[in-house]
Amino acid sequence: MNEREFADLAAGHALNALSDADERAYQEALATNPHWESHVRDAAEAIAALSAVIEPVDPPPSVRASLMARIADVPQQAVGPVTTPDVDRDDEDYAAAGPAPVVPDATSSRPASWGRRRWFTLAASIVAVLVLGFGAASFGQYLTRPAAVIALQQIESAPDAQSASVSMPDGGSATAHWSASTGQSVLVTDGMPALSDDQTYELWFVRGETPIAAGIFETDADGRATAMLDGEFHSGDVIAVTVEPAGGSPDGTPSSAPVVAVATA
């Protein structure tokens, strides 16, 4: 199984739509390739985000008819009649006959991809229904939202969501958003100074006296960015930003004083 096939299975797993065979293949692939865990998280977050924003509606009759027609087009496995030989069992000598030949089950040779083919057929129908409600363009934009934007919405929906802002001497500003229950934190900036090509902004959790690297980010021409901090947020962390060489701090510690520092306690 390659990584693309695993990503497909991860989506089906998030929707509880896998067959037993595909679920086993999914679990075995994940155990063998733990670095594919990101696909599991992405699929779960996408499904959670969809469930959080999509209000249930009654589809028009035409949509139901179209969906049922698609399902009807899925090939079904034909099962022939079961016949038994005309044998007088009272006269049959089982010992002399020896062991009965094992006849392979025709359905057992069905490839695991059969479940995925059914999943993709159903998924195509679901997407068609969603597009009717959202419009193709807006639905496509929704599915391609950056991870930081999704995280920010999840934080804002959390019961313990908090935020704090700081201003910079040159007029820029930064607002940190965090939620201890979700363990997520996001920094939103506006008007931050542009950096040279050999520099980048780096995020940090300052936990007590210890700085913990939390990823790098870039701003647009207006100094705006929405950046998610890598790693789990802990209550009391200071969310900080430093200017580092391109690619981030070479030794995992800040090489300059913070240009942003937001206390969360």
Side-chain angles (χ1 to χ4, degrees), residues 231-257:
E232 184 176 2
F233 168 83
H234 290 187
S235 295
D237 284 348
V238 173
I239 296 173
V241 178
T242 61
V243 177
E244 301 293 340
S249 171
D251 63 359
T253 60
S255 63
S256 62

Side-chain angles (χ1 to χ4, degrees), residues 195-245:
L195 300 179
S196 60
D197 292 340
D198 60 349
Q199 293 179 312
T200 189
Y201 286 115
E202 185 158 5
L203 293 158
W204 305 86
F205 291 117
V206 182
R207 194 162 295 157
E209 299 297 325
T210 305
I212 302 170
I216 61 176
F217 71 96
E218 297 179 352
T219 63
D220 63 14
D222 296 319
R224 291 192 294 256
T226 299
M228 178 174 62
L229 281 78
D230 297 335
E232 184 176 2
F233 168 83
H234 290 187
S235 295
D237 284 348
V238 173
I239 296 173
V241 178
T242 61
V243 177
E244 301 293 340

Side-chain angles (χ1 to χ4, degrees), residues 144-207:
T144 57
R145 293 174 305 158
V149 173
I150 295 175
L152 180 57
Q153 292 178 341
Q154 292 173 342
I155 290 170
E156 291 175 336
S157 299
D160 60 345
Q162 297 185 65
S163 64
S165 299
V166 295
S167 298
M168 290 174 277
D170 55 10
S173 64
T175 301
H177 301 260
W178 67 90
S179 162
S181 65
T182 67
Q184 295 177 306
S185 53
V186 171
L187 187 73
V188 179
T189 70
D190 185 19
M192 290 191 72
L195 300 179
S196 60
D197 292 340
D198 60 349
Q199 293 179 312
T200 189
Y201 286 115
E202 185 158 5
L203 293 158
W204 305 86
F205 291 117
V206 182
R207 194 162 295 157

Side-chain angles (χ1 to χ4, degrees), residues 80-140:
V82 178
T83 60
T84 57
D86 186 12
V87 176
D88 186 350
R89 297 187 181 276
D90 292 337
D91 297 333
E92 185 175 359
D93 186 345
Y94 290 100
V102 178
V103 179
D105 182 0
T107 61
S108 66
S109 62
R110 180 184 299 168
S113 61
W114 169 255
R116 288 194 289 277
R117 288 199 297 271
R118 290 190 300 177
W119 149 248
F120 286 128
T121 300
L122 181 59
S125 301
I126 294 173
V127 170
V129 173
L130 292 175
V131 168
L132 286 174
F134 282 95
S138 59
F139 184 67

